[in-house]
Amino acid sequence: MPMRKLGKPTDQRMAMLRQLTTDLLDKGRLETTVTRAKEVAPMAEKMITLAKKNDLANYRQALSFLTKEDVAKKLFGELAQKYSTRDGGYTRLVRTGPRRGDAAEMAIVELI
């Protein structure tokens, strides 16, 4: 699956996606454009899958991607237990219609 470029250079795009993923895992819900949401959801699912395996190497890998250490602790603590019996499909994408300013298609990404 090719990654969408989202109109940004690689370093800016990765920084934005890392931050969006961190915020999604921290708050459990995120409102953004549909294209950004489609990029963030698989990254969040990968982080949850890492947390379910719960070893030091996976914890360090998650820390290298997430921007806040307390979110990694939450991920490996409560979120890993919450999704321990679920095999994938941890996120939901709900379209909410166009944004008022520029009519960009908006969506809500939430943890199930």
Side-chain angles (χ1 to χ4, degrees):
M1 176 174 90
M3 179 180 256
R4 293 171 182 90
K5 294 196 178 180
L6 303 173
K8 296 188 180 305
T10 304
D11 58 338
Q12 293 176 16
R13 181 174 61 246
M14 286 310 297
M16 177 188 66
L17 292 174
R18 286 177 62 200
Q19 188 61 50
L20 286 172
T21 304
T22 303
D23 291 343
L24 174 61
L25 293 173
D26 189 20
K27 300 194 175 25
R29 182 183 176 132
L30 179 70
E31 185 172 6
T32 183
T33 62
V34 171
T35 51
R36 287 181 183 182
K38 286 182 178 180
E39 289 297 313
V40 168
M43 292 183 173
E45 299 219 3
K46 183 177 179 184
M47 290 295 118
I48 293 171
T49 303
L50 278 177
K52 283 172 60 174
K53 294 176 187 158
N54 201 5
D55 62 357
L56 185 60
N58 287 342
Y59 184 74
R60 287 179 175 165
Q61 188 174 351
L63 269 180
S64 73
F65 186 78
L66 300 174
T67 58
K68 296 179 185 170
E69 188 174 350
D70 57 330
V71 174
K73 288 179 182 172
K74 176 182 177 182
L75 175 65
F76 278 77
E78 59 188 70
L79 291 178
Q81 291 175 352
K82 180 179 176 184
Y83 296 114
S84 62
T85 58
R86 190 175 179 103
D87 295 331
Y90 313 117
T91 58
R92 173 186 300 136
L93 194 134
V94 181
R95 291 171 185 252
T96 59
R99 182 164 52 196
R100 183 173 166 83
D102 60 357
E105 194 67 30
M106 298 297 286
I108 293 174
V109 185
E110 55 191 3
L111 297 176
I112 296 176

